[in-house]
Amino acid sequence: SQTIHQWPATLVQPVGSPLSLECTVEGTSNPNLYWYRQAAGRGLQLLFYSVGIGQISSEVPQNLSASRPQDRQFILSSKKLLLSDSGFYLCAWTYRGEAFFGQGTRLTVV
Amino acid sequence: RKEVEQDPGPFNVPEGATVAFNCTYSNSASQSFFWYRQDCRKEPKLLMSVYSSGNEDGRFTAQLNRASQYISLLIRDSKLSDSATYLCVVNIYGNYQLIWGAGTKLIIKP
């Protein structure tokens, strides 16, 4: 069966510090991978998606970047965090339109 | 106009009552439809897919109305544990992205 791992679950980072969130998928190959952000009480905002290694599409130009160095690995990064980067970050993969999410990372920038 | 729209609620419903949500979508090329449930501070999880013929899973019934471009979710005999945010999701044919509604918050009261 397929599983998706995302870590860490919670993170508190100072403004200006770097960020690296990692997501890995098991049990499938060449998945479509996604990074979402959810602000408190809001819907899901698509940040990046990838249909293959090295292929990244950005939906919202901002302080973040994404990379896909391996087929089942998706990384979200920032060189310098802003207060506005706080939120709930979710990694997901899709199969036939259905999305499967990691547990999410709750990031607080202080 | 948003691509997928939901009433944000909250819907305050007594335990045992029946409650229904609608979700409207704007793109007639939409092909796949889903309802997700998201508990507070957790990742979304698939509740049910929505088929053209409608589908039922226990107390939950989902319907699709292509002519009017909306999907619905009906919950019968509501339980306290049904309290959550319900997200409507649409996949457009040939598109890698899922289009998410902002969610409808449901609160079941004893």
Side-chain angles (χ1 to χ4, degrees), chain B residues 6-14 17-23 35 59-63 70-78 82 86 104-106 108:
Chain B
Q6 295 183 252
D7 183 339
F11 284 46
N12 291 285
V13 176
T18 295
V19 60
F21 315 131
N22 278 349
C23 165
W35 282 104
R59 299 182 292 108
F60 298 83
T61 300
Q63 297 281 350
Y70 74 87
I71 65 173
S72 63
L73 178 67
L74 180 77
I75 305 175
R76 291 180 297 277
D77 187 25
S78 53
D82 294 333
Y86 291 84
T104 296
K105 187 171 184 176
L106 174 65
I108 306 297

Side-chain angles (χ1 to χ4, degrees), chain B residues 47-101:
Chain B
L47 178 65
M48 57 198 311
S49 303
V50 187
Y51 305 122
S52 296
S53 57
N55 52 312
E56 185 174 319
D57 183 3
R59 299 182 292 108
F60 298 83
T61 300
Q63 297 281 350
L64 167 63
N65 186 316
R66 285 194 182 274
S68 300
Q69 296 188 188
Y70 74 87
I71 65 173
S72 63
L73 178 67
L74 180 77
I75 305 175
R76 291 180 297 277
D77 187 25
S78 53
K79 313 290 185 189
L80 294 176
S81 57
D82 294 333
S83 297
T85 296
Y86 291 84
L87 301 166
C88 165
V89 188
V90 171
N91 180 230
I92 298 170
Y93 178 77
N95 194 315
Y96 293 109
Q97 297 183 37
L98 296 174
I99 312 299
W100 294 80

Side-chain angles (χ1 to χ4, degrees), chain A residues 34 36 38 97-99 102 106, chain B residues 36 38 41 46 96 98 100:
Chain A
Y34 304 79
Y36 289 93
Q38 187 176 37
E98 181 180 339
R106 195 160 300 279
Chain B
Y36 279 72
Q38 186 175 24
R41 304 178 71 84
L46 180 68
Y96 293 109
L98 296 174
W100 294 80

Side-chain angles (χ1 to χ4, degrees), chain B residues 32-45:
Chain B
S32 305
F33 308 88
F34 307 89
W35 282 104
Y36 279 72
R37 170 194 170 126
Q38 186 175 24
D39 293 303
C40 187
R41 304 178 71 84
K42 297 288 188 180
E43 75 275 19
K45 293 185 179 179

Side-chain angles (χ1 to χ4, degrees), chain A residues 29-83:
Chain A
S29 60
N30 197 30
N32 294 334
L33 296 172
Y34 304 79
W35 278 111
Y36 289 93
R37 178 170 62 197
Q38 187 176 37
R42 306 291 294 275
L44 294 174
Q45 179 188 31
L46 179 63
L47 301 176
F48 301 94
Y49 71 93
S50 171
V51 300
I53 296 174
Q55 300 179 59
I56 308 294
S57 295
S58 172
E59 289 300 303
V60 185
Q62 53 195 331
N63 188 40
L64 302 168
S65 62
S67 62
R68 186 169 176 174
Q70 300 181 46
D71 181 44
R72 289 171 288 178
Q73 183 185 30
F74 204 23
I75 298 172
L76 182 69
S77 304
S78 175
K79 292 182 179 178
K80 290 185 178 181
L81 284 169
L82 306 172
L83 287 174

Side-chain angles (χ1 to χ4, degrees), chain A residues 3 7 10 16 20 31-32 37 44 47 59 77 87 100-101 103:
Chain A
T3 56
W7 65 93
T10 59
S20 181
N32 294 334
R37 178 170 62 197
L44 294 174
L47 301 176
E59 289 300 303
S77 304
F100 301 88
F101 288 89
Q103 66 173 355

